[in-house]
Amino acid sequence: MTDIDLQLDHVAEAAKVIDPVFLNSPQYSDEQLNDRLGRHVLVKVETLNPLRSFKGRGADYFAAGLEPGTTMVCATSGNFGQAVAFAARKRGLRAEVFVPAGISPVKLRRMKTLGARVRRVEGEAKDAASAFAAEAPDRVFVVDGREPAISEGAGTIGLELAEAGEIDTVVLPVGDGALIAGVALWLKAHIPDVRIVGVGTTSAPAMAKSWLAGEPVTVDRANWFAGGISIRTPEPESVRRMRSLVDDFVLVEDDDLRAAMRLGAETLGVLPEPAGAAGLAALTVHGIPGDRVATVITGANATWPREWQGWLLDSIAPNSWV
């Protein structure tokens, strides 16, 4: 593997440093899901923690290396901002989070509850965050997808998946690329023949296009439905890692994500956010090879639109329990 600035020993260290509340998340094979997908699938659920997403692993490992009193500054569509807020509060740091004006109200509220100072901005939140961080020496601009420690923290998911035994294919949602790079690093070192497949959306295909091109490609987002994997311009470091570690990349439609969210609720009893269901969506609509496949439900922070509310209520109606 070339162009890899991630280290296996750091992933192993992260498993000892990260707050245990994020570690050893449930992973299992569900017979109902297997039947619906027509194959054996190992599912790892990263929604059962205080952040309801996997982002706490990387943010906490990164924060563990900072001096007390440091201000962590980031730009985010939501889940990473929650992770930065949580890690900063735990480790005696401060958090300044810059978000787009159209951010999910659920994610905005949760970031504030976790103690972050949240700044909503028009235009690119990343530019505003970078300028703010440069104004004082005690501010550190934290870019999800760029920092090795964030990928290495997320790589603990790969460490845990490897403990389940042989896996021939792993299908993962891809936003900034931190998750898939860290997981792939560990799994390819311990299960050499494993195939790593990334999943993006047709409405925000920047990372897929960048992976194919071998360099960052800027693509305007069509919408924010899957905000967790809807980026505009990938980080160069992330693209280099993915070119070395990711074997294939597929795209799904927003309707595929909606169907996958419902599939997760009906079979696993887990209602993921759109981005969190991307792996399930890809396994449903793409002929991804593999007899023993694994995927991760990466998040469950969503604002449910009106058309979903009726279905949610129907799901808990009295006759649904008999």
Side-chain angles (χ1 to χ4, degrees):
M1 294 182 289
T2 60
D3 293 326
I4 298 298
D5 56 351
L6 309 179
Q7 299 183 39
L8 287 167
D9 61 336
H10 287 180
V11 177
E13 178 188 55
K16 301 176 182 178
V17 171
I18 294 170
D19 190 321
V21 75
F22 299 118
L23 298 173
N24 298 308
S25 56
Q27 55 186 45
Y28 55 92
S29 178
D30 180 83
E31 294 302 326
Q32 293 185 85
L33 181 64
N34 292 348
D35 183 64
R36 295 277 289 272
L37 295 178
R39 69 168 89 192
H40 181 280
V41 179
L42 176 69
V43 178
K44 190 167 188 60
V45 181
E46 285 288 306
T47 66
L48 304 177
N49 62 59
L51 305 179
R52 302 200 299 224
S53 88
F54 77 94
K55 294 286 188 179
R57 295 180 185 246
D60 197 37
Y61 186 51
F62 181 91
L66 299 177
E67 293 293 327
T70 299
T71 297
M72 298 176 70
V73 183
C74 74
T76 177
S77 63
N79 284 347
F80 185 62
Q82 293 181 64
V84 166
F86 183 97
R89 185 173 66 179
K90 173 193 172 185
R91 297 189 180 274
L93 314 174
R94 293 181 293 272
E96 296 272 354
V97 180
F98 288 73
V99 302
I103 188 173
S104 157
V106 172
K107 295 178 180 180
L108 179 65
R109 182 171 60 252
R110 288 176 63 80
M111 281 186 282
K112 291 181 177 179
T113 300
L114 289 166
R117 181 175 181 181
V118 183
R119 301 169 182 259
R120 299 175 70 173
V121 298
E122 300 291 342
E124 286 295 320
K126 183 177 177 181
D127 294 339
S130 177
F132 177 80
E135 293 174 357
D138 64 341
R139 299 174 184 172
V140 174
F141 184 34
V142 189
V143 180
D144 195 6
R146 183 183 72 183
E147 320 299 346
I150 293 175
S151 278
E152 290 159 348
T156 56
I157 290 175
L159 184 153
E160 294 167 15
L161 285 173
E163 294 173 351
E166 288 300 316
I167 301 169
D168 51 31
T169 305
V170 178
V171 183
L172 295 171
V174 180
D176 55 72
L179 170 65
I180 198 168
V183 170
L185 177 80
W186 187 270
L187 288 179
K188 283 183 174 288
H190 294 84
I191 309 175
D193 294 330
V194 71
R195 184 172 179 79
I196 306 295
V197 180
V199 186
T201 68
T202 56
S203 59
M207 185 59 91
K209 290 180 178 292
S210 299
W211 175 77
L212 286 170
E215 61 184 11
V217 175
T218 297
V219 177
D220 286 336
R221 295 171 290 245
N223 61 56
W224 280 95
F225 179 66
I229 54 175
S230 296
I231 63 172
R232 186 167 180 267
T233 304
E235 295 299 318
E237 297 86 349
S238 184
V239 175
R240 287 197 297 270
R241 294 168 193 149
M242 288 186 58
R243 286 283 289 185
S244 294
L245 292 165
V246 176
D247 300 295
D248 198 6
F249 210 113
V250 299
L251 298 177
V252 296
E253 304 280 349
D254 288 351
D255 283 346
D256 300 329
L257 294 174
R258 293 185 180 93
M261 292 162 69
R262 183 159 189 162
L263 176 64
E266 291 176 345
T267 60
L268 304 173
V270 175
L271 190 56
E273 64 185 88
L280 290 179
L283 289 170
T284 302
V285 301
H286 289 286
I288 296 171
D291 295 322
R292 293 186 60 83
V293 178
T295 192
V296 179
I297 307 297
T298 55
N301 291 298
T303 301
W304 302 111
R306 185 178 300 275
E307 60 266 27
W308 280 82
Q309 294 175 10
W311 170 64
L312 289 171
L313 290 173
D314 288 345
S315 299
I316 58 174
N319 62 2
S320 68
W321 299 94
V322 297

